[in-house]
Amino acid sequence: MRTQSKLYFYFITSALLLIILATGALYVGVYDFNGVSPFTVLGQLIQGDPNLALSDKYVIWDVRAARIMMAILVGSMLAVSGTSLQGLFKNPLATGEAIGLTSGATLLAAIAIVLGGHFKQYLPEMVQFSLTGISAFVGALLAMMLVYRISTSAGKTNVVMMLLSGVAITSIGFSITGFLIYISKDEQLRDLTFWNMGSLAAATWTKNIVLAIVIAISYTILLPKGKALNAMMLGERDAQHLGINVERLKKQIVIITSLMVGTCVAFSGTIGFVGLIVPYILRLLFKSNYTFILPLSAVLGSILLLIADTISRSIVAPSELPIGILTSLIGGPIFIAILIKFKKSL
């Protein structure tokens, strides 16, 4: 009961911090509201004030609020997916990139950008409009299916084999993507470059609704798995003795994380290191207690990406710095710190 109370305290405190940051992010931008507070404009919008200017409504609701919400949803999903994979593999370096999900998504997105012009006209109009996003999502799922097929034998999944096959698929995916970059035209090259750097500039409320549905389904399954992941830290055999269905747990985590990573990459491009940074910070505070780490990563991931996105759209205003540059800048030193820690423990 005491542990539960501490979890509630940390979760509520983190959630309040997220609300404060989200409110502050509404004020960040180059648009001039003619002396009116952005929060006042949002209040007028909620009340349905007929005197509200359409330009003010568009900037606050369709641009800033939609982007803030996407940062919250995407950051949360990337952090939880990384935390879940690290708990499953008992490896602090395991993320969606490690098992080839990001590579698969990037590869099919690159194919859609570079070669899509040759077949796009034969597809339904709705698919044409979001071909890159759909391709990225399918790429992540195909990568997951391939990794799972390679690493599973007689109904049992070999975790080490899964990581190794993920490395192989990542290598193949990035080599083909490199070839597509080589043959791409200037406009396609620019699209590919910005895709690989990640951005939340294309945020819409329709995309946020899709993300919210995915997050609701995923968290219903994943967030209660804290005790099971704690048991997995003891080893698969000990976890089975404690009543954990290990094979079912593996399938659920791999499938759900693939769904989350695929959806995030489809809507925001490649945003790296969020799934690495957040669990690392939480492990410094709570060791490897996934009862704390898993739910708190959902909020801390949102906080991290919201801060990074707010900086990315203000540091070089009126232009925008790709958010993937900032997360990589933060994540790189943390990645090195993890490696140094492992080196000392050897």
Side-chain angles (χ1 to χ4, degrees):
M1 190 68 182
R2 190 175 175 183
T3 301
Q4 200 75 8
S5 299
K6 285 176 67 178
L7 175 59
Y8 287 144
F9 172 76
Y10 288 123
F11 190 86
I12 291 171
T13 303
S14 301
L16 288 174
L17 176 59
L18 177 61
I19 292 170
I20 293 170
L21 290 171
T23 304
L26 278 175
Y27 287 79
V28 177
V30 296
Y31 182 79
D32 184 10
F33 290 96
N34 297 316
V36 179
S37 164
F39 209 67
T40 302
V41 174
L42 186 62
Q44 290 177 309
L45 175 63
I46 294 172
Q47 295 169 10
D49 189 341
N51 297 321
L52 178 62
L54 290 177
S55 58
D56 291 350
K57 173 183 177 294
Y58 173 75
V59 170
I60 282 293
W61 185 250
D62 295 318
V63 177
R64 291 190 190 176
R67 183 164 180 159
I68 289 167
M69 182 56 66
M70 181 174 277
I72 291 171
L73 295 172
V74 170
S76 182
M77 283 199 284
L78 290 176
V80 170
S81 64
T83 303
S84 302
L85 289 171
Q86 289 174 24
L88 176 64
F89 295 143
K90 300 185 288 292
N91 188 329
L93 301 179
T95 59
E97 292 92 337
I99 60 171
L101 302 182
T102 303
S103 174
T106 302
L107 173 58
L108 260 71
I111 290 174
I113 291 171
V114 178
L115 305 178
H118 298 289
F119 57 83
K120 187 181 286 189
Q121 64 269 26
Y122 303 109
L123 300 173
E125 187 174 344
M126 182 178 177
V127 177
Q128 291 183 30
F129 179 72
S130 54
L131 179 60
T132 304
I134 293 172
S135 299
F137 179 72
V138 172
L141 290 181
L142 289 176
M144 179 272 296
M145 291 170 62
L146 184 56
V147 168
Y148 194 77
R149 179 65 63 88
I150 293 172
S151 58
T152 302
S153 177
K156 292 189 176 182
T157 304
N158 187 311
V159 172
V160 175
M161 186 66 72
M162 182 176 283
L163 283 171
L164 292 175
S165 57
V167 171
I169 288 173
T170 298
S171 177
I172 295 170
F174 282 139
S175 65
I176 298 174
T177 302
F179 175 73
L180 291 170
I181 290 173
Y182 177 74
I183 65 172
S184 63
K185 299 177 181 177
D186 288 345
E187 184 178 350
Q188 296 168 343
L189 180 60
R190 186 166 59 252
D191 290 341
L192 273 172
T193 301
F194 278 100
W195 175 269
N196 284 324
M197 289 180 180
S199 175
L200 301 177
T204 65
W205 284 107
T206 302
K207 292 179 180 179
N208 286 338
I209 290 171
V210 174
L211 288 167
I213 293 171
V214 171
I215 213 172
I217 296 170
S218 302
Y219 285 9
T220 301
I221 297 171
L222 281 186
L223 292 187
K225 302 296 184 188
K227 291 182 178 179
L229 289 174
N230 284 344
M232 287 290 288
M233 297 298 292
L234 302 173
E236 292 186 15
R237 185 171 297 178
D238 289 335
Q240 285 178 332
H241 289 318
L242 291 171
I244 306 298
N245 188 331
V246 173
E247 292 304 317
R248 183 182 177 188
L249 179 66
K250 290 178 186 176
K251 290 177 183 178
Q252 287 179 335
I253 289 179
V254 171
I255 292 171
I256 295 299
T257 53
S258 299
L259 175 65
M260 291 195 295
V261 171
T263 308
C264 290
V265 175
F267 289 157
S268 61
T270 305
I271 300 176
F273 287 106
V274 175
L276 180 76
I277 299 168
V278 173
Y280 177 73
I281 294 172
L282 289 174
R283 268 195 301 273
L284 291 176
L285 299 173
F286 305 108
K287 304 302 179 184
S288 293
N289 187 351
Y290 284 91
T291 306
F292 281 95
I293 293 175
L294 202 54
L296 289 176
S297 66
V299 185
L300 189 58
S302 298
I303 291 173
L304 175 65
L305 198 63
L306 180 59
I307 292 173
D309 183 59
T310 304
I311 294 172
S312 74
R313 61 188 175 90
S314 60
I315 194 170
V316 289
S319 299
E320 177 184 330
L321 185 70
I323 194 170
I325 293 177
L326 286 176
T327 56
S328 297
L329 190 62
I330 299 169
I334 290 179
F335 190 85
I336 293 171
I338 295 173
L339 292 176
I340 292 173
K341 185 177 179 180
F342 263 89
K343 181 182 176 181
K344 290 180 179 179
S345 65
L346 292 175

